[in-house]
Amino acid sequence: MIYSRYIRREPLISMEASMTEPAATRAYRVLEHMIVTLELAPASFVTEGALIEKLALGRTPVREAIQRLAWEGLLDVRPRAGIAIAPLHPGDWLRVLDVRRGVEVVLARSAARFVTRDAADLFHEAALAMQKAVISGNVLAFIQADKALDEALAMAADNPFAARLAAPLQTHSRRFWFRYKAETGLAESAEHHVALIRSILDGDEEAAAKDAKRLMALLRGHAEVAATR
């Protein structure tokens, strides 16, 4: 099933990124986006050949991206059966958030302490993109802005161990949010994200930690509702 009701699809990779990123990274970004936005539907099957043809990036980079996504639990490579896209069980969103909450607080505190000018620019861009997405009602643009914010957080925090732990949890959570809350949750989600960005840019570790907890609490509320469906 393709979830096409979520407005028009935007280009997945900017021209600048396509010129500078390795092919495997580009393949990963596109496939991750397709899984998060349910273009590759939960519990569906696809072949490696079909993905190579769709991405037009070559067998090796696509294979590397598939392996990385399999390690992150977003798909399952089954010999002679194809590639299974991870199913979506509403109750699993709560499990993801239980793990994610602690590491997000660590990242937020650290980002407020160590944020650089380059990271600050990325935070500003992510906040602006989120606000534009809310105004236009563009869920896919919001998803991309949320991903950009997570990457800015990873850069600013200067803690690669926490960032590597957080990244797949953020992706899983984004996928659940897209499935269960995208149609009604843009403005509220943006408000919480922008508050977190503001605290980080102010260099306020305590406020950043509190805002990270509030954001996780908001998502947990959504997850609890989804789990009862």
Side-chain angles (χ1 to χ4, degrees):
M1 178 179 181
I2 304 297
Y3 288 78
S4 58
R5 68 180 184 275
Y6 294 109
I7 59 185
R8 65 187 180 280
R9 297 209 168 263
E10 304 286 347
L12 302 186
I13 303 176
S14 70
M15 183 61 71
E16 181 180 358
S18 68
M19 296 296 291
T20 59
E21 287 185 331
T25 302
R26 282 181 276 156
Y28 172 83
R29 283 187 179 277
V30 175
L31 288 177
E32 182 202 51
H33 186 86
M34 292 171 68
I35 293 170
V36 166
T37 61
L38 314 184
E39 186 174 350
L40 290 174
S44 66
F45 280 81
V46 67
T47 65
E48 180 185 274
L51 294 179
I52 291 169
E53 182 178 355
K54 187 173 185 65
L55 272 62
L57 288 172
R59 182 176 299 276
T60 298
V62 172
R63 220 168 240 186
E64 290 179 15
I66 290 170
Q67 291 171 353
R68 180 177 170 186
L69 289 163
W71 180 84
E72 293 178 350
L74 290 162
L75 51 79
D76 182 20
V77 180
R78 301 180 182 179
R80 297 180 296 280
I83 300 168
I85 309 304
L88 271 178
H89 302 301
D92 286 343
W93 195 4
L94 290 168
R95 296 183 177 93
V96 168
L97 292 171
D98 283 344
V99 181
R100 185 182 171 194
R101 182 180 185 273
V103 73
E104 289 289 344
V105 173
V106 170
L107 288 171
R109 283 184 179 277
S110 187
R113 187 184 314 153
F114 298 117
V115 64
T116 63
R117 183 181 298 274
D118 287 343
D121 288 342
L122 294 179
F123 279 121
H124 283 298
E125 290 172 6
L128 181 60
M130 278 191 172
Q131 290 166 343
K132 288 181 177 179
V134 171
I135 292 170
S136 64
N138 191 328
V139 176
L140 293 175
F142 186 89
I143 284 289
Q144 291 177 313
D146 185 61
K147 173 74 171 177
L149 170 57
D150 289 340
E151 292 177 343
L153 188 63
M155 174 189 286
D158 193 29
N159 186 333
F161 302 100
R164 286 172 190 153
L165 176 61
L169 297 171
Q170 291 163 342
T171 300
H172 280 282
S173 186
R174 195 176 295 117
R175 185 175 182 235
F176 280 109
W177 181 89
F178 187 86
R179 170 63 181 86
Y180 294 107
K181 194 61 182 177
E183 292 182 317
T184 59
L186 277 186
E188 187 178 32
S189 182
E191 180 182 349
H192 281 68
H193 282 87
V194 171
L196 173 60
I197 291 171
R198 187 179 300 114
S199 294
I200 290 171
L201 295 180
D202 286 344
D204 190 332
E205 294 182 43
E206 290 303 317
K210 289 179 181 177
D211 286 327
K213 290 175 183 177
R214 289 191 189 103
L215 176 57
M216 292 301 104
L218 173 70
L219 292 175
R220 185 170 183 83
H222 298 333
E224 287 171 349
V225 172
T228 64
R229 295 181 180 178

